[in-house]
Amino acid sequence: MELYYEGVILAICTFLIIGLCHPLVIKTEYYYGTKPWILYLIVGIACCVGALFIEKVFWSALLGVTGASLLWGIGELFDQKKRVERGWFPMNKDRESEYTRQYDKEIDERKK
């Protein structure tokens, strides 16, 4: 019996891509705010379009998953800003003027 590992490897890679995008969104919002959303859009679309031109299914799927994760990250970037405003995540003191709440040392320094 012959075993095919490509599906399992693709699943692991998908899990890792999604897992890496989560902290990427958090760090992007903390250091740069929501401004880089256009970069997520351009790279995400480029990955999805690029996947259309790759013959090997494994690599095409991997690039498509990366593109879709980056496109999903745009919404998460704006949601992350709301989470910061609610006090669920730390606020970057240097970008305090971009939020609806004030920087609170008790909230924002204990969660780093």
Side-chain angles (χ1 to χ4, degrees), residues 13-24:
C13 289
T14 300
F15 181 75
L16 291 173
I17 289 167
I18 293 169
L20 290 172
C21 282
H22 178 68
L24 178 67

Side-chain angles (χ1 to χ4, degrees), residues 85-97:
E85 289 173 343
R86 291 181 188 135
W88 298 353
F89 282 84
M91 178 189 295
N92 185 340
K93 190 175 185 177
D94 298 334
R95 296 183 24 262
E96 182 179 6
S97 63

Side-chain angles (χ1 to χ4, degrees), residues 49-68:
V49 170
L52 296 172
F53 296 98
I54 295 178
E55 187 176 347
K56 298 283 184 182
V57 174
F58 178 83
W59 297 108
S60 177
L62 204 58
L63 197 57
V65 166
T66 303

Side-chain angles (χ1 to χ4, degrees), residues 95-111:
R95 296 183 24 262
E96 182 179 6
S97 63
E98 297 178 26
Y99 299 102
T100 57
R101 74 173 175 90
Q102 296 295 315
Y103 183 85
D104 184 344
K105 189 174 182 176
E106 188 174 308
I107 294 172
D108 297 313
E109 290 188 6
R110 69 178 162 88
K111 293 186 179 180

Side-chain angles (χ1 to χ4, degrees), residues 65-86:
V65 166
T66 303
S69 296
L70 290 170
L71 292 173
W72 185 271
I74 295 169
E76 288 299 317
L77 197 57
F78 288 96
D79 288 344
Q80 181 65 20
K81 182 179 179 183
K82 293 176 188 172
R83 293 181 199 116
V84 171
E85 289 173 343
R86 291 181 188 135

